[in-house]
Amino acid sequence: MSYLTDIVNVINNNMEYVLIGVAVAALLFLITFVVMIVNLVQISKLKKKYQTFMGGADAKTLEQTIADHLNEIDGLIASNQENKQNISQLTNQIKFAFQKVGLVKYDAFQEMGGKLSFSLCLLNEKEDGFIINAMHSREGCYTYIKEIIAGNCVIILSDEEKEALEMAKAYK
């Protein structure tokens, strides 16, 4: 009995330490409990994501899905290469297409009105092209063409043709 009384006396003398120990043990238990609940929630979310990812009844459906996507990617890569080649080809071709335009309408003769005569200049990227000059008179319509190389013409240009050429050069 004396042994039991000694223990009770020790507990009574150190009651504050015993209470602190019990409080620390309870706090540790509470923290452990909260961590377990957080882990259960995270595991539940992970389980839902896993089920969504697997989607099918077995691993073969997942494997087939991945194979299908890889085939799609291969097709997209091939299509992208083809598009790059087509764009490159179009870029090269457009250099020779007429991109710059200049048009001047005028009256070629004093007795004619309505500005039925015109000078039309068409140039490509390198400023190569031509000028079409159509002069309308009472007797008929006369059409002339002059070649333009690098923005210049070896034949003398009329004022209207010069204006059409400058307009085409300035065209953006």
Side-chain angles (χ1 to χ4, degrees):
M1 248 337 201
S2 85
Y3 178 71
L4 192 55
T5 356
D6 289 340
I7 291 176
V8 170
N9 284 337
V10 168
I11 291 175
N12 284 338
N13 292 339
N14 299 311
M15 186 57 98
E16 58 272 353
Y17 295 118
V18 172
L19 286 176
I20 290 173
V22 169
V24 167
L27 184 63
L28 287 175
F29 176 77
L30 181 63
I31 290 172
T32 305
F33 184 73
V34 169
V35 168
M36 283 179 35
I37 290 175
V38 168
N39 284 340
L40 285 174
V41 170
Q42 288 179 344
I43 288 173
S44 174
K45 288 180 182 178
L46 187 61
K47 197 175 193 181
K48 286 179 185 176
K49 288 180 182 179
Y50 175 77
Q51 288 172 347
T52 303
F53 178 71
M54 292 306 280
D58 55 10
K60 286 191 177 197
T61 55
L62 176 62
E63 183 179 341
Q64 184 60 44
T65 302
I66 291 172
D68 291 344
H69 286 300
L70 288 175
N71 288 335
E72 264 185 65
I73 290 171
D74 290 341
L76 290 173
I77 289 171
S79 177
N80 188 39
Q81 285 294 85
E82 184 180 339
N83 288 340
K84 283 181 180 180
Q85 289 173 350
N86 290 341
I87 289 170
S88 177
Q89 183 180 8
L90 287 172
T91 302
N92 290 334
Q93 288 176 349
I94 202 162
K95 291 177 183 177
F96 301 104
F98 296 121
Q99 304 172 22
K100 302 176 180 187
V101 179
L103 176 66
V104 176
K105 291 179 71 174
Y106 63 96
D107 290 324
F109 303 101
Q110 296 298 341
E111 70 273 359
M112 296 296 295
K115 294 188 177 185
L116 298 175
S117 300
F118 65 89
S119 289
L120 173 65
C121 181
L122 298 173
L123 301 175
N124 64 13
E125 185 180 86
K126 296 179 181 180
E127 294 191 350
D128 294 337
F130 57 86
I131 295 177
I132 296 176
N133 191 15
M135 294 189 313
H136 185 72
S137 71
R138 290 182 188 216
E139 291 82 36
C141 184
Y142 303 97
T143 307
Y144 304 96
I145 189 165
K146 296 178 182 175
E147 186 177 18
I148 306 296
I149 299 173
N152 297 309
C153 184
V154 294
I155 302 171
I156 297 174
L157 299 175
S158 69
D159 291 340
E160 293 82 6
E161 291 169 333
K162 287 178 187 175
E163 186 179 346
L165 179 59
E166 292 306 315
M167 191 182 296
K169 284 180 174 181
Y171 192 84
K172 300 281 179 197

